[in-house]
Amino acid sequence: MNILVTGGLGFIGSHLTEKLLQEGHTVCVMDQVEDTRLVEEFVRSKRFFFIKSRVEDADVTERWINWADVVFHLAASLSVRRCVEEPDEIIAGNLIPAQVVLKKAVNSKTKVVFASTSEVYGKSENLPYKEDGDRLVGATSTHRWCYATVKALEEHMFLAAAKKGLPVTILRYFNAYGPRAKSGLYGGVIPIFISAALRNEPLSVHGDGKQTRCFTYVKDTVEATSRTVGDHCNGEVINIGSSTEISILQLAQSIIQLTNSQSDIQFIPYKQVYKSGFEDMRKRVPCTEKMEKILHYPASVSLTDGLKDTIRYYRLFL
């Protein structure tokens, strides 16, 4: 197929691009930031094209959506800190590109796989999170929830188009991590902890460290994602993640052990890290039944093995 990946040089996007090229697809990556090393690596394939452009450049986006059989829309503005400090930028940086992609895809009837997030579940305590479950987010004055809100709005937009016949699949990612990951919403705590551990610096755990998450190795994330190119998952919302739960404190302890680090752990109150407008969730666990049933793929890389691979990667840069 001809496949357009917006944000295709980002963390998940670059691994997805790599996977799609391996599968024999022709891939055009659209990204506003050029990673020269990655572009040089991917361009070795004659089936790779790179377009340095913002998705908001409607003429460029239209051209490549018309060319594509499938669009993976991964381009997004994110990070917890920016949600708190720059909510207007987070809202505009997600909503406007999604509107452009949706409009052009509707015109050309091109399938869209939209990258959403586990953030949309908010602070619901109805675990594990099911795709048709209720959402629970905080007050609009708590800017922490602006990302969850705008991504949910984008889901509504794409599902409305799906109701009118556009082929659409929505994927809700749960804390992907692995090589190339940077600090942010997607497993950002892991590269932060690994970097500190490799330098024998303290690992900063926010709050009491008992909050839990389910981390998904990026190879599992992109394997599941790549299986959405067909029509079998049109109109579906699917959690992409592992259901293995770990506390942030346990995660820090595991990373110290796996890196043979001399680091200690320091507990930092949230109010010392974020400005007012932040709120955390104690647990976040996905139901992965649809991922396994529709995409025929369960997350298979253990956290220990995934962390070992990620640590090997970060050792090369420290």
Side-chain angles (χ1 to χ4, degrees), residues 63-251:
R63 173 187 174 187
W64 289 100
I65 287 180
N66 288 342
W67 165 86
D69 298 305
V70 179
V71 178
F72 285 90
H73 180 45
L74 273 66
S77 295
L78 61 160
S79 92
V80 174
R81 188 176 298 279
R82 289 193 66 205
C83 288
V84 176
E85 298 179 0
E86 300 175 323
D88 54 337
E89 296 293 333
I90 290 292
I91 293 167
N94 285 281
L95 184 58
I96 295 173
Q99 289 175 317
V100 172
V101 168
L102 180 57
K103 180 179 179 180
K104 303 307 179 183
V106 167
N107 291 342
S108 62
K109 298 180 175 58
T110 304
K111 172 165 180 168
V112 178
V113 179
F114 173 62
S116 189
T117 169
S118 61
E119 286 280 306
V120 299
Y121 292 107
K123 55 183 177 180
S124 171
E125 296 181 357
N126 187 17
L127 299 169
Y129 292 145
K130 294 186 177 181
E131 292 85 348
D132 60 355
D134 291 341
R135 303 170 52 243
L136 177 63
V137 296
T140 54
S141 57
T142 303
H143 296 310
R144 166 73 172 80
W145 302 114
C146 70
Y147 183 67
T149 300
V150 73
K151 297 301 283 188
L153 175 58
E154 292 170 67
E155 286 195 20
H156 279 296
M157 290 164 37
F158 281 102
L159 289 172
K163 192 173 182 179
K164 295 180 179 180
L166 182 70
V168 169
T169 303
I170 294 174
L171 305 180
R172 292 177 179 165
Y173 291 129
F174 279 75
N175 295 89
Y177 74 96
R180 303 178 194 151
K182 299 178 181 179
S183 59
L185 285 173
Y186 293 128
V189 67
I190 288 179
I192 291 172
F193 280 178
I194 290 175
S195 297
L198 291 176
R199 294 189 178 101
N200 292 310
E201 298 172 351
L203 275 62
S204 297
V205 171
H206 300 165
D208 61 10
K210 294 181 181 179
Q211 63 273 34
T212 65
R213 296 292 184 270
C214 296
F215 293 94
T216 314
Y217 191 55
V218 69
K219 288 185 179 179
D220 283 333
T221 301
V222 300
E223 176 63 40
T225 300
S226 69
R227 296 184 179 210
T228 63
V229 296
D231 294 335
H232 61 291
C233 52
N234 288 349
E236 297 286 353
V237 179
I238 306 173
N239 291 333
I240 302 296
S242 164
S243 58
T244 301
E245 194 175 359
I246 187 172
S247 75
I248 300 303
L249 176 57
Q250 290 172 324
L251 177 68

